[in-house]
Amino acid sequence: MKILFDKQEMQIPNEEMKIKEIFASQIKANNKIIACNVNNEIKSLNYIPKDGDKITFVDVFTRDGRRTYIRGLLYIMSKAFVECYPKALLSVNYQLTNAMYCEVDNMQVTKEMIQIVSKKMQEIISEDLPIVKKEMSKEEAEEFYKREKSIKGKLQLDNKQKEEVSLYFCEDYYNYFYGVMPISTGFINTYEVLLYNDGFLVRYPGKNPSFTIEEGQTSQKLVNTLDEYKDIHRILDVDTLRKLNNHIRKGNAAEFVLLAEALHEKKISDIADSIVHRKNVKVVLIAGPSSSGKTTFAKRLGIQLRLNGLKPVTISVDNYFVERKDTPLDENGKYDFECLDAIDLKLFNEHLTTLLNGGEILCPTFDFKEGTKRYNGETMKLAEDEILVIEGIHCLNDKLTSAISKDKKYKVYISALTVLNIDYYNRISTTDSRLIRRIVRDNNFRGYSAMHTLQMWNSVNRGEEKYIFPFQDEADSMFNTSLIYELCVLKKYAIPQLEKIDNSYVEYAEAKRLTEFLKYFEDIEDKYVPENSLLREFIGGSIFEY
C-alpha cells in the first residue's frame, strides 16, 4: 500500500497500521503534533490510512491543531471533575482570551476545589492514558443511554444525518466532544486552571511560537454581556442546542424567534436611552468584527434615537477608504482593507469637524469595484436635533475620530457573542457563527463563493485581533447581536455553498466541519424572521435599505 506523506510517496508494509505507528519516531520527536490531515480532512493519529491517501501532520500551531488541543484539555478537565466531584454539574460556558470560562451549577467553586481538580488533571496527563473513540449504532446508543442514564452526546440520536453515535472513552470515563480528539492525555502539557468570578478559567497557550500561557486581560464588560444573555437563555430553557431543537420540534419556533427579537429591541432601546442621558453626545460610534450586523444595528438604533427626540444621520466609514493605489499591503503583499490606514483619516475628520460646526459636506460613496471614491452630488448638514451615527470596525479607536473630543462621542461595541452551546461541554464558537453569517451574506449579496470567504477568513480574523478586540473596553455599551435561533435559519443557505467544496481543496476540512455542525440544527423557516431583524442583513428581505 502506498501513501503520499508531505508529497513524498511511501510504501506501507502493513495495511492495518495506524498513523501513530507508521510515524512513531516523528511524533515522539515533535511533541506539538496532535492530529493529521488526510486528503484535506482532519483525522486522529489513530487513523488507519488507505491506499493513495495524502497525509500531513497537524500541530498545535495550526487552527485545527489548536482546536484539538483545547478539546483534549477540556476532556481531561471534565474527567478530573467527575473523579473528584462526581455530583458536580459542570458546564463549559464561553471563551474568553485564550481561556474557557466554566461553572459548577450545584456547588460553590473554591480555591481548594481548583487545587484538587488541577492535581487530578496533572495525574491524568502524567499517566498518558489512551483516549479512544467508540462508535455505536443508534439502536445500541439508545440502550447505552438507558443503562447509563446520561445525556452526554445524546443529541446525536436526534441528528437524522448521522447513522452512528460516537463517544470518547478514557478508562471508565466517557463524554462527547465535537471534532477530533488527541489520542491520549499526554498530548496536553500546557494549561492553567484559575478561579474567576463564580466559576473558573481553563487557560491554554496563546497563538505564539513558544506555545506558552500568555498574560491576558479579560474584559469584564464582555463577561457581563455574556452572563446576561446566558442567564436569560437558561430562564427560557434554551441554553443548549438539544433544548432549542426540542422546542422547535414541539412547534415553538415562532415563539423563540419573537423572544430573541424582543431581547434585541429592549437592549437597543436601553442603549438609545443611555445616549440621550449624555447631553453632549453628537457622534455615536458603532464598532464590531466582521458580520456582527453593524449596519442593521445602526439603523435600528437610529429609530430608537428618534423616539427620544434625536434625529440620526448615518455615515459609513466604508465610504472613506483611501484610493486603491494607496491601500496598505499586508505581510503577504495583499491589500489590507482591515487596517486603520486603509481609511482616509484626514478627509474623514475634516468632514466630521465641518458637520459638528454646522457646515455642509459633499458625501463620498466608495466604488469597491474600481477602488475609488465617487461624488454623486449628495450633501450632508447636521441640524440642531440631529446626531451622527457612524459604523465601522475602527470606531472604538480614538485615532479614527481624533479631531472630536471624547465628551461628544458615545461608543458601542457589537458582536455575535454566541451563548448557545451544543451541550454542557461543547460550546458554539462566536467566530463560527460570524463566519456562517458571512458565507451566507457574501454569496447572497456580494457574489462570493464559500471558498472565497473561507480563504479570506484568516486574514479577517487577524485584522480583528489587531484592530478591534483590543478596544472592546473603550465602549460605553456592548450589544450582543447573536440570535438564539439564527443558525436554524442560516443552515439552509450555508450548507449548499459549503458542499460545493470537495476534498481536492485545502478548505475542505473547514467546509466539512461547518457542514456537519450545521446539520445538528433543526430548520426554522424564513417567514418567522421579522423584516427588521438583524438576520435579514444576511438572508435578505429586510425592511431597511443597505
Side-chain angles (χ1 to χ4, degrees), residues 418-436:
T418 312
V419 293
L420 175 71
N421 284 349
I422 295 175
D423 57 25
Y424 292 112
Y425 300 92
N426 293 267
R427 63 178 299 277
I428 295 173
S429 163
T430 290
T431 303
D432 281 351
S433 296
R434 291 192 294 108
L435 173 55
I436 291 163

Side-chain angles (χ1 to χ4, degrees), residues 335-496:
Y335 289 124
D336 186 356
F337 297 111
E338 307 290 332
C339 73
L340 183 62
D341 290 333
I343 305 299
D344 189 338
L345 296 175
K346 183 174 182 294
L347 178 64
F348 188 63
N349 277 274
E350 285 176 358
H351 278 191
L352 290 181
T353 303
T354 299
L355 288 169
L356 296 187
N357 288 335
E360 186 175 72
I361 64 167
L362 185 62
C363 303
T365 299
F366 198 80
D367 184 332
F368 288 94
K369 186 176 180 180
E370 298 297 328
T372 189
K373 300 181 194 70
R374 304 288 188 193
Y375 293 89
N376 304 315
E378 182 184 352
T379 61
M380 181 185 293
K381 185 177 181 179
L382 284 183
E384 282 295 319
D385 60 349
E386 290 181 329
I387 186 171
L388 275 177
V389 177
I390 305 171
E391 57 93 1
I393 64 171
H394 297 289
C395 279
L396 299 185
N397 186 345
D398 273 325
K399 290 181 180 178
L400 177 71
T401 53
S402 58
I404 311 302
S405 61
K406 287 190 176 184
D407 65 310
K408 288 184 168 60
K409 296 185 281 193
Y410 190 99
K411 300 175 186 175
V412 185
Y413 174 77
I414 77 169
S415 186
L417 304 169
T418 312
V419 293
L420 175 71
N421 284 349
I422 295 175
D423 57 25
Y424 292 112
Y425 300 92
N426 293 267
R427 63 178 299 277
I428 295 173
S429 163
T430 290
T431 303
D432 281 351
S433 296
R434 291 192 294 108
L435 173 55
I436 291 163
R437 282 182 174 186
R438 180 151 175 165
I439 287 169
V440 173
R441 184 189 64 190
D442 281 358
N443 182 257
N444 281 344
F445 305 112
R446 299 183 179 181
Y448 294 144
S449 65
M451 174 78 80
H452 178 273
T453 305
L454 290 177
Q455 288 171 341
M456 294 290 293
W457 193 238
N458 279 343
S459 174
V460 171
N461 287 163
R462 285 194 297 272
E464 292 165 349
E465 290 172 1
K466 188 174 182 180
Y467 303 117
I468 302 175
F469 299 146
F471 300 97
Q472 289 176 122
D473 275 346
E474 296 294 318
D476 296 292
S477 292
M478 283 193 177
F479 177 67
N480 184 355
T481 71
S482 72
L483 291 156
I484 191 96
Y485 71 88
E486 67 179 80
L487 293 176
C488 299
V489 175
L490 292 171
K491 62 175 286 191
K492 72 175 86 49
Y493 294 93
I495 289 176

Side-chain angles (χ1 to χ4, degrees), residues 131-326:
I131 301 174
V132 180
K133 184 179 182 179
K134 295 184 180 180
E135 294 183 331
M136 299 173 268
S137 67
K138 288 195 172 180
E139 291 75 18
E140 291 170 332
E142 289 277 11
E143 290 300 317
F144 175 85
Y145 285 118
K146 284 180 184 177
R147 184 173 66 252
E148 293 290 322
K149 296 180 181 178
S150 170
I151 61 170
K152 294 174 182 175
K154 198 171 181 179
L155 82 164
Q156 296 175 91
L157 288 173
D158 302 324
N159 188 340
K160 298 180 180 64
Q161 308 292 329
K162 283 178 71 78
E163 295 180 358
E164 294 181 314
V165 170
S166 62
L167 292 169
Y168 285 103
F169 282 77
C170 182
E171 298 185 311
D172 294 331
Y173 177 74
Y174 65 88
N175 207 336
Y176 167 73
F177 275 80
Y178 177 74
V180 170
M181 188 72 73
I183 59 173
S184 70
T185 60
F187 280 76
I188 307 304
N189 49 34
T190 307
Y191 67 95
E192 200 171 54
V193 185
L194 301 172
L195 273 176
Y196 185 79
N197 287 358
D198 294 329
F200 62 97
L201 294 176
V202 180
R203 299 184 66 204
Y204 40 81
K207 298 174 184 177
N208 57 69
S210 58
F211 201 65
T212 54
I213 302 287
E214 295 176 320
E215 288 301 321
Q217 196 167 20
T218 300
S219 167
Q220 191 57 49
K221 289 182 182 178
L222 180 64
V223 171
N224 292 342
T225 302
L226 288 164
D227 278 343
E228 179 185 22
Y229 273 69
K230 178 198 68 178
D231 291 343
I232 290 169
H233 290 156
R234 282 189 177 180
I235 291 168
L236 297 176
D237 195 32
V238 286
D239 53 331
T240 67
L241 174 56
R242 189 161 185 263
K243 290 181 179 179
L244 176 62
N245 281 342
N246 285 338
H247 282 297
I248 294 169
R249 293 188 197 104
K250 291 176 183 176
N252 298 331
E255 177 187 358
F256 279 95
V257 169
L258 292 174
L259 284 168
E261 295 293 342
L263 178 58
H264 268 195
E265 197 64 33
K266 181 179 185 302
K267 298 306 298 180
I268 294 170
S269 174
D270 289 345
I271 292 170
D273 290 345
S274 180
I275 291 168
V276 171
H277 290 155
R278 292 254 304 266
K279 301 296 184 182
N280 294 329
V281 174
K282 292 299 291 181
V283 181
V284 178
L285 295 149
I286 303 164
S290 174
S291 302
S292 293
K294 294 183 290 292
T295 305
T296 304
F297 173 79
K299 291 180 180 294
R300 288 180 63 174
L301 178 64
I303 291 171
Q304 291 292 339
L305 288 171
R306 289 182 66 183
L307 289 174
N308 279 276
L310 287 176
K311 296 177 183 176
V313 178
T314 59
I315 187 169
S316 174
V317 181
D318 284 353
N319 285 325
Y320 285 85
F321 278 113
V322 296
E323 301 300 290
R324 186 63 43 82
K325 64 182 176 60
D326 299 321

